[in-house]
Amino acid sequence: MGRLLCLVLLGLLSTSAVWAQDEAYRPFYSRDTTRRHDLAVAQRAALRAEMPVPKTGSSEYREHYRRVVQEASADVYNAIRYAALLDPVVEPYVQQVFARILRANPQLPAGTRLVLTRNPEPNARAVGSSTVLLNLGLLPRLENESQLAYVLCHELAHGASHHLETGLRDRLATIHSKELKREFRRIVDSEYNIGSQLKALALSFSLSSSYHHRRFERQADSLGYVLLARTTYEAPQAYRTLQLLDIIDQPENPAPLPLAAQFSCAEFPRAFGGAPVASASIFTVKAAAKTVLETSDTLKSHPDCGKRMRFVQGLAQGRVAEGPQPPSPPDFDRIRRLSRLELVQSWFDYDCYDHALFEALQLLPQQPQNSYLRAMVQLSLFELRQHLQDHTFTEVVSNVSEHQAANFNELLRTLYQLRPDDFRELSACFARAAPLTEALAPADEFALAGRYAAAALAAPPTDPAVLALRDDYRRRYPQGRFAALRPAPVVVRHR
């Protein structure tokens, strides 16, 4: 009995330690970009080497092929050089999963690399046979390690099957074919309906490309399942992965944001929420219609998941995992939580302050005392007010759209109704609940930047308290991640 009690206490202590680690976690940042640069250069060179310009075909075709490969390799370089996440926690974890897959499938191309990027879009892609890019935004939407393994196996299957090269050759062969050129000349020389005929020709080409793309997806699903089955991961999770991808465009948490609880107080009472004002015109009355995303599978981030699920179900002979799954191993749940914090920072660093604010507010109810999340709310409010004053608000705030989550649209409508002075009141009410004091995080860059943002929202920029916080940040973090707070660079003038 005493041994059991000790084990229970140790379990509780370890759980508390995990939550404490999560509370103390800060998104990765390093001024040293050498590793990212070297990795980006290597993967750019690898893609160019495996896709040489064909020696056959017209000079126009070969030049077009060369330009596309150059653009694709430049895209890979930029994606890695400016977005690769090389942190000491999340990135090594996904690399371990990738390494287990490669060990179980030695026939895969040698030298294949996985790169984790800070891209918030929940997706992954293979670039040739040498590089798999995994977006950080996908990790929180997966439930366990086996699902992550299937995503990686699917992308490895694309690379092993040379789908990028095959698709490029097929598309360019069609574009430069004599048949297409002859049909284009016929349409241009015709007397009537030139525009509609050109649209029909473009549509037929688009549908043909979509057909080949979806054929590649089915092949990657098939080979990806085989690659997964050779590992120690759970192959039935492939089906559940496709279930999750089918609803990936839907919000993970559709609950309304607690805007009133976070931004309304006795000193500055404010009402939030409510449906958007409807038009009073009698000419706008119409029956409710479904959105394009609800009526078309084509516009989804991952189309045809229903068909792909049925195909995988056949491969698995009906042995599939359906519905919500428990995290396994338990460490994966922590990776998901840390990825969410990294995503908040990614949105902020990409100047998408509406998304950064939204994600931080969604996480705060679970971690109400998390000083990082509270700092990011203040910093997002600060940047939003700055852009409103500079008349660049629409550059950093999305438009309200029926294709977005209702709770995100609610936040956008609130933001578009604000005046510059309103941000001071929002910041004051938010800070009142749990102020970012020096005692809370005495040596934390984010907390210090958050305190500066709150002070700058409450007082003029020349206020001594604001200047003191700015100077304190510059003293402690002269190479910090917040460029607006760093010292101005010294300009050396040569005579």
Side-chain angles (χ1 to χ4, degrees):
M1 184 67 179
R3 179 180 174 83
L4 179 60
L5 180 59
C6 287
L7 290 174
V8 171
L9 290 174
L10 285 173
L12 291 174
L13 288 172
S14 63
T15 302
S16 300
V18 167
W19 280 105
Q21 290 173 4
D22 291 350
E23 291 286 328
Y25 182 84
R26 296 295 179 262
F28 178 73
Y29 174 70
S30 173
R31 294 281 292 173
D32 184 2
T33 62
T34 303
R35 285 183 61 200
R36 289 208 309 264
H37 173 266
D38 292 346
L39 183 59
V41 169
Q43 299 312 108
R44 178 179 62 186
L47 179 60
R48 290 178 179 177
E50 70 179 77
M51 297 184 69
V53 178
K55 296 181 179 180
T56 58
S58 66
S59 59
E60 184 183 29
Y61 166 85
R62 287 184 280 114
E63 174 59 21
H64 196 170
Y65 187 98
R66 185 193 66 79
R67 288 202 314 270
V68 172
V69 172
Q70 290 288 330
E71 292 171 1
S73 61
D75 176 64
V76 171
Y77 174 86
N78 290 329
I80 298 174
R81 171 65 178 81
Y82 300 106
L85 179 60
L86 301 175
D87 75 298
V89 181
V90 180
E91 197 264 348
Y93 188 97
V94 298
Q95 291 292 356
Q96 289 177 4
V97 177
F98 191 69
R100 286 177 62 182
I101 296 170
L102 295 182
R103 285 196 299 269
N105 295 277
Q107 78 284 359
L108 288 170
T112 305
R113 295 290 301 268
L114 169 67
V115 180
L116 177 65
T117 78
R118 297 178 60 221
N119 191 327
E121 180 187 4
N123 214 335
R125 61 184 172 122
V127 186
S129 62
S130 58
T131 310
V132 173
L133 300 179
L134 173 66
N135 292 352
L136 181 72
L138 185 59
L139 292 179
R141 304 302 297 269
L142 301 175
E143 297 168 326
N144 54 54
E145 202 172 274
S146 293
Q147 294 169 7
L148 171 60
Y150 180 65
V151 169
L152 298 177
C153 286
H154 176 94
E155 300 306 329
L156 283 167
H158 275 305
S161 302
H162 302 283
H163 284 158
L164 179 64
E165 183 179 3
T166 302
L168 175 59
R169 288 178 180 270
D170 289 346
R171 286 194 298 275
L172 293 187
T174 301
I175 291 174
H176 294 278
S177 66
K178 294 180 180 179
E179 294 79 7
L180 185 64
K181 292 179 179 179
R182 188 162 46 242
E183 179 64 12
F184 181 79
R185 285 195 297 267
R186 184 195 68 77
I187 293 173
V188 172
D189 292 339
S190 62
E191 190 171 355
Y192 302 106
N193 301 324
I194 295 178
S196 60
Q197 291 184 70
L198 288 174
K199 287 182 181 179
L201 182 64
L203 179 61
S204 66
F205 176 74
S206 175
L207 291 175
S208 176
S209 297
S210 297
Y211 169 77
H212 288 296
H213 173 74
R214 293 179 180 188
R215 174 169 57 87
F216 291 157
E217 288 301 307
R218 181 166 178 169
Q219 291 174 357
D221 283 335
S222 178
L223 178 55
Y225 184 86
V226 172
L227 297 178
L228 182 67
R230 290 173 179 163
T231 71
T232 56
Y233 291 112
E234 301 174 24
Q237 292 293 333
Y239 183 89
R240 175 57 182 167
T241 306
L242 292 173
Q243 277 189 329
L244 292 172
L245 295 179
D246 194 37
I247 59 173
I248 205 84
D249 295 317
Q250 300 176 17
E252 184 179 11
N253 180 8
L257 292 175
L259 296 178
Q262 299 285 7
F263 297 119
S264 183
C265 55
E267 289 79 4
F268 304 109
R270 178 182 288 271
F272 294 92
V277 178
S279 171
S281 171
I282 62 173
F283 299 105
T284 61
V285 177
K286 64 177 181 179
K290 289 187 175 182
T291 67
V292 176
L293 286 177
E294 292 174 313
T295 58
S296 173
D297 190 57
T298 304
L299 295 182
K300 287 185 176 181
S301 300
H302 300 271
D304 281 348
C305 280
K307 296 178 182 178
R308 293 167 62 188
M309 279 188 276
R310 290 191 291 272
F311 178 67
V312 168
Q313 189 172 31
L315 290 175
Q317 299 180 345
R319 295 189 293 271
V320 297
E322 294 190 73
Q325 302 291 307
S328 61
D331 287 349
F332 187 76
D333 196 39
R334 180 169 185 253
I335 293 299
R336 293 171 64 197
R337 294 197 302 271
L338 300 189
S339 297
R340 286 187 170 94
L341 297 178
E342 290 284 357
L343 281 175
V344 174
Q345 192 63 46
S346 292
W347 284 120
F348 186 89
D349 291 343
Y350 292 150
D351 297 344
C352 298
Y353 305 116
D354 53 348
H355 282 278
L357 181 60
F358 177 76
E359 297 293 338
L361 290 174
Q362 282 214 317
L363 293 175
L364 267 173
Q366 307 164 31
Q367 304 178 54
Q369 299 303 316
N370 188 309
S371 61
Y372 166 72
L373 293 174
R374 302 196 69 81
M376 293 312 297
V377 170
Q378 294 285 14
L379 286 162
S380 297
L381 293 176
F382 172 78
E383 292 289 350
L384 288 167
R385 191 195 62 173
Q386 191 65 41
H387 282 275
L388 184 60
Q389 292 175 332
D390 294 343
H391 307 289
T392 56
F393 197 66
T394 55
E395 296 179 11
V396 298
V397 178
S398 309
N399 292 323
V400 175
S401 169
E402 62 183 0
H403 304 315
Q404 295 169 163
N407 48 7
F408 184 57
N409 279 334
E410 179 189 0
L411 175 63
L412 295 179
R413 281 190 287 267
T414 299
L415 293 177
Y416 276 112
Q417 293 170 2
L418 296 176
R419 300 167 300 176
D421 289 345
D422 294 332
F423 286 91
R424 175 178 62 87
E425 300 176 4
L426 297 179
S427 173
C429 288
F430 183 78
R432 186 172 297 277
L436 290 168
T437 62
E438 177 73 15
L440 182 63
D444 186 285
E445 178 182 3
F446 292 97
L448 180 55
R451 290 199 297 275
Y452 168 81
L457 286 168
T462 56
D463 185 275
V466 178
L467 296 176
L469 285 169
R470 184 201 63 186
D471 294 341
D472 192 17
Y473 179 92
R474 290 178 174 179
R475 177 178 57 81
R476 295 192 196 185
Y477 307 101
Q479 299 296 319
R481 68 186 305 154
F482 296 103
L485 289 175
R486 291 202 299 263
V490 177
V491 178
V492 179
R493 299 186 182 277
H494 299 280
R495 296 174 181 247

